[in-house]
Amino acid sequence: MLHSVPVGKGDSDIDHVVIGPSGVFTINTKNHPGKKVWVGGRAMLINGHKVPHIRNAAFEARRAGKLLSAASGLTVPVTAIVVVVNAGSLTIRHAPEADEVRLLVIRDSQLLGAISTRPEFSATQVQQIVDAAIVPKTWHKSPVDDGDVSEHLAAFDDLVGDVTRHDKSAGRQKLLWGLAAAFMPFVAIYAGLNLLLNVLAG
C-alpha cells in the first residue's frame, strides 16, 4: 500500500494505492457523516448536491494505470474506488460509470471484499508493479530525495503507534496522518488491510 502519493508536479496526490494479486486499486476516501449519498452512472450527489468524486477518481485511476504501465513494462489496469465513510445512506441508482477504468462507490465496510477478488496478477507481476510503484519518480516529476527510507518507515511506525495508543477521535487521527504525509512526501507502506481500514475509519 502507498499512502498520500504525490502525482505529476506534486500539486495533487492519490489517497491510497493498493497493489496485490487481485489487481491495482486507487482509493479515494470521502467522509460524509450522516449525509445521503446517491450514485447514478457518472453522477454522484451528497444531500442532493452534485460532487465530482466519480470524475476525479476515474482520472486518478487512468493516470495511475499509465504511470505504472510505463514504469513496470506491464499493462496495468487500475480500478478506482470511492470509499464513502460514515454516510447516513448510500444509494446506487445505477452503477457508477467511467471511461477506460472500472469504478466502484462503496462504504468503508465493503472495502475488504472489493479488493479481495479473483487473482489478476501472478506473484512475479505483483512484485514487478510494486518495484515500479515504490520509486518516487514513477509518480512525481520532481521527487524529493527522501534519504534513508528505513528512517522514514521507523518514524511512520512511531506515528501509527501514537494513533493506536491514544483516543482515535477523527481530529486526532487526521492530524497524525497529516503529519506523517508532511514528514514523508512519498513512502511505501507494506501493511495489513486492517491498517488501511483504521485510516478510513478516521
Side-chain angles (χ1 to χ4, degrees):
M1 287 184 285
L2 303 173
H3 302 292
S4 299
V5 181
V7 184
K9 296 180 180 179
D11 53 355
S12 61
D13 64 26
I14 301 173
D15 287 356
H16 313 281
V17 178
V18 176
I19 302 167
S22 58
V24 178
F25 306 85
T26 51
I27 300 174
N28 198 307
T29 57
K30 297 298 179 183
N31 188 26
H32 294 296
K35 296 182 180 180
K36 295 180 180 180
V37 180
W38 183 94
V39 174
R42 297 176 184 270
M44 185 169 180
L45 308 179
I46 307 297
N47 280 357
H49 299 285
K50 191 173 182 179
V51 293
H53 298 346
I54 289 177
R55 181 193 66 197
N56 293 347
F59 175 78
E60 287 183 350
R62 286 192 296 269
R63 194 178 196 182
K66 290 176 182 178
L67 293 172
L68 289 173
S69 295
S72 69
L74 298 172
T75 298
V76 183
V78 175
T79 298
I81 304 180
V82 178
V83 180
V84 181
V85 182
N86 297 324
S89 65
L90 172 59
T91 301
I92 307 294
R93 183 66 179 84
H94 299 291
E97 300 174 2
D99 296 330
E100 302 175 21
V101 296
R102 178 171 175 251
L103 193 147
L104 304 173
V105 178
I106 60 176
R107 288 182 177 272
D108 51 339
S109 60
Q110 300 172 297
L111 178 59
L112 182 59
I115 63 178
S116 301
T117 56
R118 62 179 178 79
E120 182 170 345
F121 297 118
S122 67
T124 300
Q125 290 173 321
V126 169
Q127 189 59 56
Q128 193 170 340
I129 297 169
V130 168
D131 288 344
I134 63 176
V135 177
K137 67 180 181 180
T138 294
W139 306 95
H140 197 272
K141 292 185 177 180
S142 301
V144 175
D145 182 5
D146 291 324
D148 188 348
V149 173
S150 63
E151 292 182 5
H152 293 310
L153 289 173
F156 188 86
D157 287 340
D158 289 342
L159 289 171
V160 172
D162 287 342
V163 173
T164 58
R165 286 192 298 270
H166 294 87
D167 175 26
K168 295 182 180 180
S169 65
R172 181 184 296 272
Q173 197 166 19
K174 285 180 183 292
L175 174 61
L176 289 172
W177 284 101
L179 289 172
F183 184 71
M184 296 174 297
F186 188 101
V187 65
I189 305 299
Y190 295 94
L193 290 174
N194 286 335
L195 174 59
L196 179 57
L197 291 174
N198 285 337
V199 177
L200 297 179

